[in-house]
Amino acid sequence: MKTATFRLAAAAFMLLLLTVTLRPAQAAGDSALQVTPQAVVMGAQYNGQNLTVTGTVPEGSDVVLRFTGAPADMHLREKGKLFGLLWMNVGKVSVKNVPRVCLVDSSRPFDQIGAAATPFRLEGLRDAIEIEEAAKSPDLDIAHELVLLKQRDGLYHESEGGVQLAPAADGVQQFTATLHVPSALATGKYVVEAIALHDGTVVNKASVPVEAKLTGFPLWLNNLAFDNGLMYGIMATLVAIFSGLAIGMVFQSKGAH
């Protein structure tokens, strides 16, 4: 009985010793990631929000950071001149695999990181867009124009050097960055990704989910629109009537002077 107990205690001690010995090697390969705050809360005064992203990567790695939404389908109208005179809808364009938002930053300029970072950039996103119904104009690069449109809306953005790396310790490096989420962000589920690259190879990935949600008056108004459409319609009509009366009174008073 005593012999069995001694053997069990010895085995437990060896297992603990082995765990402690291997811990640095495991830490050197991990890519921990934290995002603060963990949710984008949209109130009446919402005008975008900063997310602080911290984590660790293997020593000597470059870091590419992304904030993305789930890919979705988009149906667009192509504008063109009819008979060379009038601008009208001349066709439909359908595209797939288009994220609602894509914000990218890195620890170094992308030309120094190399081609391994391309799939995670806006360039790689543009190549991944699938076109189901092409434009009537053969010279129109739909994917390129769509990315430009999203950039003008602030939903697509690419930066360099915003990810700061600390000195290496125990085979890992800590990093920190600030991602600015645009005011045009829609509610839904998003992901912050950290990609570690070394010598032209992806050596690690980590991701954290982030939810964008309404609060306060915008949430109340949204619930009213979906849960009580009649009341929402009455309120919208009353607001329009009183706004029109107020504007009329302002212009009338100016005209009297």
Side-chain angles (χ1 to χ4, degrees), residues 94-110:
S94 296
V95 291
K96 299 181 66 176
N97 200 34
V98 183
R100 287 186 290 181
V101 62
C102 184
L103 311 175
V104 185
D105 206 343
S106 65
S107 56
R108 286 198 299 163
F110 285 108

Side-chain angles (χ1 to χ4, degrees), residues 7-240:
R7 288 178 179 176
L8 182 60
F13 175 77
M14 291 300 295
L15 180 60
L16 177 63
L17 182 63
L18 183 62
T19 302
V20 172
T21 304
L22 291 179
R23 187 171 296 170
Q26 291 173 346
D30 285 345
S31 181
L33 187 63
Q34 291 184 339
V35 179
T36 307
Q38 296 181 342
V40 178
V41 180
M42 303 175 178
Q45 303 297 322
Y46 175 74
N47 191 31
Q49 182 173 320
N50 288 335
L51 299 178
T52 300
V53 184
T54 58
T56 58
V57 292
E59 180 180 354
S61 300
D62 290 304
V63 181
V64 176
L65 206 60
R66 300 205 313 170
F67 179 92
T68 58
D73 298 346
M74 292 187 67
H75 305 284
L76 309 172
R77 296 282 186 179
E78 181 186 358
K79 298 288 186 179
K81 280 190 175 182
L82 189 63
F83 306 116
L85 298 173
L86 302 174
W87 283 98
M88 300 184 65
N89 294 328
V90 296
K92 296 180 181 179
V93 177
S94 296
V95 291
K96 299 181 66 176
N97 200 34
V98 183
R100 287 186 290 181
V101 62
C102 184
L103 311 175
V104 185
D105 206 343
S106 65
S107 56
R108 286 198 299 163
F110 285 108
D111 59 354
Q112 297 180 17
I113 297 177
T118 301
F120 309 106
R121 302 181 57 189
L122 294 184
E123 179 182 348
L125 185 150
R126 184 169 56 241
D127 295 337
I129 293 176
E130 302 174 13
I131 302 172
E132 286 194 333
E133 293 185 43
K136 299 293 184 181
S137 173
D139 300 327
L140 183 61
D141 188 340
I142 298 175
H144 176 73
E145 294 299 327
L146 181 57
V147 170
L148 289 179
L149 177 63
K150 291 279 192 177
Q151 285 180 298
R152 286 194 293 269
D153 292 340
L155 294 173
Y156 284 8
H157 182 72
E158 185 173 285
S159 303
E160 297 177 330
V163 181
Q164 304 298 316
L165 284 167
D170 296 328
V172 298
Q173 285 183 272
Q174 293 186 348
F175 68 86
T176 182
T178 299
L179 289 176
H180 179 71
V181 177
S183 58
L185 189 73
T187 57
K189 297 185 182 297
Y190 299 89
V191 174
V192 174
E193 298 175 285
I195 302 97
L197 303 104
H198 186 71
D199 291 336
T201 304
V202 176
V203 295
N204 232 312
K205 287 184 182 180
S207 63
V208 172
V210 175
E211 184 178 3
K213 55 187 178 181
L214 297 174
T215 188
F217 180 72
L219 177 61
W220 176 82
L221 199 61
N222 180 78
N223 291 339
L224 182 66
F226 283 96
D227 299 337
N228 196 335
L230 177 61
M231 182 60 67
Y232 180 81
I234 293 173
M235 286 184 58
T237 303
L238 291 176
V239 168

